[in-house]
Amino acid sequence: MTTILGIETSCDETAAAVVDDGQRVRSSVVASQIAFHQKYGGVVPEIASRKHIEVIDSVIEEALTTANCSRDGVDAIAVTHAPGLVGSLLIGVTAAKTLSWMWDKPLVAVDHIHAHTTSSAIGLDSAPWPAVALVVSGGHTTLFHVRDFLDLERLGASTDDAAGEAFDKVATILGLSYPGGPAIEACARDGDPNAVDFPRTMLGRDSLDFSFSGIKTAVLYHVNGTGKTSGGLERMSAQAIADAAASFQRAVVDVLVAKTMRAVSRVGVSTVVLGGGVAANTLLRKELREECARRDLTLHTAELAHCGDNAAMIAAHGYHLLQAGRTADLTLDASARSAAP
Ligand code: KG4
Ligand code: ZN
């Protein structure tokens, strides 16, 4: 058995987890900073790094204690080193390097987006690959052809706002709270998804890239009037806001599902996996499930606990890197951008 301690601090969640063989999650601790960023309507990088420093030690300790795991029981330390906010990533990377040096354990550098694909495989009896993976997070919307845990080919990605970012920005436009995804989902429950015909930007006929900035602007002008950026929200009823939220959510989900199916046709696989913060969205999960069922495709969605940022997926992905001998050394640095692919 191989036990990995995973550490994740790429954005506004400080997380640590203990996972056996990339499969069994013995503990997964996530300290969310949402309360500290909410009044600013988004993540403030300086606050995020400072909060990571304050809680990282106790989060790691809690993960080890909950798993009943001592330092001797840890075989390697896996940490997110990219992509994300560099000041935030550095806190996790520094903690992981320190423990690796003190405990004399291998260090493994994990790409956060790749780990979101692996999150969908946690707890499965057998690996779901080959598959098309849709990763929908705050900073990224990416389609991968995943041949194996470490063999990913990027098929397409967001060219401007990521899906989660669009949810967050549209929530602000509609006067809803941060983070916008859950707020829009809750508000949309009372709304009519067909009330407003927001654009579904598909880009070129064969494109597997995404663009969500157009729909964000469409919501802005729907609320304020064409060409105007403020002043309209006060005149909208609660029902009109719910209708806008529901119509926006429906349009984004339509595009995500359609592009995923385009990717499936392109690479010819029979399995789809879904991960990332937006993967918690009930409508997206339902629509993707129904479309996969219609086409006889197998769908694996990450468990809700593993959709948003967490360290269990970092430990799980780190396990496969360790097995492949892909360890890092103490020169490891944080990076705002993903390395290839
Ligand atoms: O993966 P994640 O936790 O962090 C990043 O790696 O960015 O994703 C966070 C994003 C945020 O934009 C948040 O609004 C969105 O996921 N999100 C949702 C839902 N829950 C979180 N979007 C739509 N529906 C949700 N239920
Ligand atoms: Zn994420």
Side-chain angles (χ1 to χ4, degrees), residues 238-300:
Q239 187 59 51
I241 292 173
D243 287 347
S247 302
F248 162 79
Q249 179 177 248
R250 163 67 65 168
V252 171
V253 167
D254 281 354
V255 171
L256 292 173
V257 173
K259 292 257 170 171
T260 305
M261 294 308 135
R262 222 180 238 190
V264 168
S265 309
R266 170 88 53 87
V267 297
V269 294
S270 57
T271 302
V272 174
V273 306
L274 174 68
V278 184
N281 186 273
T282 313
L283 184 70
L284 174 60
R285 293 169 86 90
K286 174 175 167 286
E287 294 295 317
L288 202 54
R289 196 181 320 117
E290 288 177 4
E291 193 57 37
C292 284
R294 266 195 287 277
R295 294 167 185 248
D296 240 350
L297 302 169
T298 305
L299 173 69
H300 296 292

Side-chain angles (χ1 to χ4, degrees), residues 214-246:
I215 189 170
K216 178 193 65 186
T217 307
V219 177
L220 186 69
Y221 290 170
H222 171 76
V223 170
N224 299 298
T226 305
K228 301 205 184 87
T229 56
S230 63
L233 192 61
E234 297 71 29
R235 291 192 295 274
M236 282 176 85
S237 65
Q239 187 59 51
I241 292 173
D243 287 347

Side-chain angles (χ1 to χ4, degrees), residues 148-231:
D148 206 342
F149 285 103
L150 306 182
D151 186 0
L152 299 91
E153 181 191 351
R154 203 173 74 161
L155 301 169
S158 31
T159 52
D160 40 49
D161 292 346
E165 204 174 345
F167 269 94
D168 294 336
K169 288 178 176 169
V170 165
T172 304
I173 294 169
L174 295 177
L176 305 172
S177 62
Y178 177 85
I184 288 194
E185 174 160 11
C187 178
R189 277 190 208 113
D190 302 320
D192 173 4
N194 301 312
V196 191
D197 189 18
F198 288 129
R200 280 125 174 99
T201 307
M202 295 300 285
L203 301 172
R205 219 157 56 93
D206 299 326
S207 171
L208 293 174
D209 288 330
F210 298 91
S211 169
F212 292 112
S213 71
I215 189 170
K216 178 193 65 186
T217 307
V219 177
L220 186 69
Y221 290 170
H222 171 76
V223 170
N224 299 298
T226 305
K228 301 205 184 87
T229 56
S230 63

Side-chain angles (χ1 to χ4, degrees), residues 8 10-11 112-113 116 135-139 276-277 307-310 313:
E8 152 66 39
S10 67
C11 192
H112 181 88
I113 307 302
H116 269 307
V135 175
V136 264
S137 72
C307 286
D309 289 347
N310 66 92
M313 68 181 191

